[in-house]
Amino acid sequence: MLAATLRDPEPITRAAAAANHQGINVVARKAPLLEAQGVSKTYTTRSREKVAALGEVSLALDDGAFVSLVGPSGCGKSTLLKMVAGIVPPSAGELRLNGKRVSGGQAGMGVVFQSPVLLPWLTVLDNTLLPAKVLKLDRQQARTRALELLRSVGLEGFEHKYPGELSGGMQQRVSIIRSLVHEPGLLLMDEPFGALDALTRENMSLDLQRIWLAHKKTVLFITHSIFEAVFLSDRVLVMSERPGRIVRDLAIPFARPRSFDLTTTPEFGEIVQEIRGLLGATAHA
Ligand SMILES: Nc1ncnc2c1ncn2[C@@H]1O[C@H](COP(=O)(O)OP(=O)(O)OP(=O)(O)O)[C@@H](O)[C@H]1O
Ligand SMILES: [Mg+2]
């Protein structure tokens, strides 16, 4: 569906995919980009109730890895992502990005939420340039990059339109481009395709794979679609019910680039079934 202006990716088989860790503590080999150690979250509601949202979670993400989180609704996935982004402080434990403790908003990250959250009074291009403005990056360079990225996801000609003039899928593509424009090392995506129809969603998966292969970002991706998680990821972390913990860390060994033909193979089906089984088991635990 896209004009392929991003360079063609080399097929990649990641060393990370060779290991199949199991258990709660998931540790990468060396110098992970992101590390969470014993992180948990208990919220206090307005009525002063305590809500244990996330159990103790430890994980490490290798630089350049694509890692998905799947788990039952309410198990703390968004909470974990917000803690990584520095939006919500953990109740216990520690998060480190490039070895530095995460506290407050992080400049080296891009975040994509389930709804596009675009500013309706700014054009598509100006929306994508917001992070560059906040970070005071060179406007001309950022503009060139934003235009190139917009073109790469089929939005050429829409740069000067307003968000209200775009479809939901187009708006979500704009928000993904906005998250990439300042070249973040870590991309956090919370059900970015949740509101899209099935066909747009599949196309977006292919877009995201291509962008990821071309730009080599580290991605932490939340999805309710097991299929999407397996198709896109090096690793899928399966979480239990609230307060969520990581109950399985599955390596997804398929070479890239992946096409939808892969999804019809028995190997793909087996992994999907395994995750489905784990989620079924945790849902009734
Ligand atoms: N600000 C908050 N104050 C109080 N409780 C909260 C707050 N944010 C989330 N929660 C609670 O924490 C739990 C985990 O929420 P979270 O949004 O992280 O779940 P999730 O796994 O992302 O769910 P979903 O898949 O439905 O998006 C839920 O029970 C939710 O009600
Ligand atoms: Mg959520």
Side-chain angles (χ1 to χ4, degrees):
M1 78 188 257
L2 307 168
T5 55
L6 298 172
R7 76 178 166 77
D8 275 336
E10 306 261 313
I12 292 174
T13 315
R14 286 171 190 270
N20 186 358
H21 306 279
Q22 295 191 358
I24 297 167
N25 290 311
V26 178
V27 181
R29 291 171 310 284
K30 60 171 188 175
L33 179 83
L34 173 74
E35 232 180 331
Q37 273 174 1
V39 169
S40 65
K41 181 69 188 179
T42 299
Y43 290 105
T44 306
T45 63
R46 287 190 199 181
S47 52
R48 303 201 170 258
E49 268 174 85
K50 300 271 185 204
V51 179
L54 186 74
E56 223 179 275
V57 166
S58 297
L59 58 86
L61 300 196
D62 279 340
D63 198 3
F66 195 119
V67 178
S68 288
L69 274 179
V70 296
S73 181
C75 76
K77 302 179 296 294
S78 296
T79 298
L80 178 57
L81 186 129
K82 285 178 196 162
M83 291 196 291
V84 172
I87 300 167
V88 165
S91 305
E94 193 172 88
L95 283 152
R96 289 184 173 272
L97 181 67
N98 280 320
K100 280 176 69 182
R101 196 184 175 130
V102 172
S103 63
Q106 298 292 308
M109 293 185 191
V111 187
V112 183
F113 296 102
Q114 181 167 2
S115 51
V117 210
L118 300 173
L119 299 180
W121 59 88
L122 292 182
T123 63
V124 162
L125 181 61
D126 285 340
N127 264 288
T128 62
L129 288 173
L130 273 176
K133 197 170 174 186
V134 171
L135 296 169
K136 298 188 168 58
L137 303 182
D138 182 283
R139 185 175 161 85
Q140 204 46 48
Q141 269 181 18
R143 194 183 144 88
T144 305
R145 182 170 160 76
L147 288 171
E148 187 188 305
L149 284 166
L150 285 168
R151 212 170 29 246
S152 78
V153 296
L155 287 173
E156 193 170 16
F158 289 89
E159 299 87 346
H160 304 294
K161 299 266 186 283
Y162 289 86
E165 297 168 332
L166 269 55
S167 73
M170 292 162 99
Q171 291 183 28
Q172 194 55 297
R173 272 178 269 162
V174 174
S175 73
I176 291 172
I177 298 313
R178 182 183 54 193
S179 74
L180 289 169
V181 98
H182 54 303
E183 306 202 33
L186 178 61
L187 192 54
L188 306 175
M189 308 184 94
D190 193 350
E191 294 183 51
F193 311 147
L196 306 178
D197 66 88
L199 189 61
T200 309
R201 196 169 176 143
E202 287 191 354
N203 284 327
M204 291 292 284
S205 295
L206 292 173
D207 287 356
L208 182 58
Q209 172 177 243
R210 212 197 45 257
I211 288 173
W212 177 76
L213 287 169
H215 296 266
K216 302 284 159 62
K217 301 294 172 209
T218 308
V219 182
L220 185 58
F221 185 82
I222 297 177
T223 178
H224 277 127
S225 163
I226 301 173
F227 178 94
E228 207 166 83
V230 176
F231 181 73
L232 286 169
S233 307
D234 294 315
R235 288 163 61 195
V236 177
L237 309 181
V238 184
M239 292 180 70
S240 66
E241 290 230 66
R242 184 177 71 82
R245 289 165 188 268
I246 296 169
V247 292
R248 190 67 67 87
D249 179 359
L250 286 161
I252 312 299
F254 310 117
R256 290 193 174 85
R258 298 173 184 168
S259 79
F260 286 133
D261 289 346
L262 170 69
T263 64
T264 61
T265 63
E267 293 79 7
F268 188 92
E270 272 167 30
I271 296 179
V272 168
Q273 269 312 107
E274 184 173 357
I275 296 173
R276 195 168 282 146
L278 284 163
L279 289 175
T282 67
H284 297 105

